[in-house]
C-alpha cells in the first residue's frame, strides 16, 4: 500500500476501469452519457449552466451554477427543466443530485425534488443533502 496526496491520474483511471468492469458484470452496462445545459451571454461567453450524466435510467446532476448577477430570473429552473426533458428523452425515470448550499435546498424543493438522505456536519456545522425527482 501507498498513501499520497499527489496520486498519478493513471492510478485513478485504473481504479475507474476496474469498477466499471465490475459494475457492468453485476448490473449491466450503464450506458453513461454526459449532459450539459449551458448559459451563454450575447457574446457567446459561458456564464453558467448545468453539468451531469445519465446512466442506469437516472440523470445525475453534478453541477448547477447561475452567476449571482443572473439569479432570481428563473434561469436555474429553466436549466433543470431542460435537463429533465433530455433525461426523459434518454429514457430516465428520475434525476438525483446533492447540495451543501443551504440556500439551494429550498430551490430544489420548489422544483419538485425531495430529500432522500443527508450527511450531517459536512462541512462542519452544515449538511450535504441528497435529493431526487421522479420523472414522467
Amino acid at each position: 500500500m501507498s498513501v499520497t496526496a499527489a496520486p498519478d491520474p493513471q492510478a485513478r483511471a485504473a481504479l475507474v476501469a476496474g469498477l466499471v468492469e465490475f459494475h457492468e458484470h453485476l448490473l449491466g452496462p450503464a450506458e453513461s452519457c454526459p449532459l450539459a445545459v449551458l448559459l451563454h451571454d450575447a457574446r457567446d461567453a459561458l456564464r453558467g449552466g448545468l453539468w451531469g450524466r445519465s446512466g442506469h435510467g437516472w440523470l445525475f446532476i453534478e453541477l448547477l451554477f447561475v452567476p449571482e448577477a443572473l439569479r432570481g430570473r428563473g434561469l436555474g429552473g429553466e436549466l433543470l427543466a431542460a435537463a429533465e426533458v433530455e433525461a426523459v428523452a434518454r429514457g430516465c425515470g428520475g434525476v438525483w443530485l446533492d447540495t451543501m448550499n443551504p440556500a439551494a435546498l429550498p430551490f430544489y424543493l420548489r422544483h419538485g425534488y425531495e430529500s432522500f438522505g443527508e450527511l450531517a456536519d459536512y462541512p462542519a456545522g452544515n449538511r450535504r443533502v441528497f435529493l431526487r425527482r421522479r420523472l414522467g
Side-chain angles (χ1 to χ4, degrees):
M1 268 191 243
S2 62
V3 177
T4 179
D8 183 338
Q10 291 179 349
R12 184 182 192 285
L15 294 172
V16 168
L19 281 172
V20 166
E21 182 181 341
F22 175 80
H23 285 134
E24 283 185 352
H25 176 72
L26 184 67
L27 306 169
E31 299 175 4
S32 182
C33 183
L35 171 67
V37 182
L38 305 174
L39 293 174
H40 299 273
D41 66 16
R43 287 183 254 158
D44 207 32
L46 182 63
R47 297 295 310 274
L50 178 150
W51 193 274
R53 66 183 177 277
S54 60
H56 292 297
W58 283 81
L59 173 66
F60 169 60
I61 297 175
E62 182 180 353
L63 307 167
L64 191 152
F65 174 70
V66 176
E68 195 167 338
L70 298 177
R71 293 181 189 161
R73 301 179 187 185
L75 293 171
E78 290 180 31
L79 290 169
L80 283 176
E84 290 167 2
V85 166
E86 179 61 21
V88 169
R90 294 178 181 197
C92 294
V95 182
W96 72 280
L97 57 92
D98 63 83
T99 185
M100 297 180 292
N101 180 345
L105 184 57
F107 164 79
Y108 291 117
L109 295 173
R110 277 194 316 273
H111 286 88
Y113 286 75
E114 63 177 345
S115 171
F116 68 91
E118 71 176 62
L119 181 59
D121 273 340
Y122 186 83
N126 200 6
R127 62 189 177 144
R128 186 173 190 170
V129 180
F130 297 85
L131 300 129
R132 69 179 166 218
R133 180 167 188 257
R134 295 283 183 175
L135 301 173

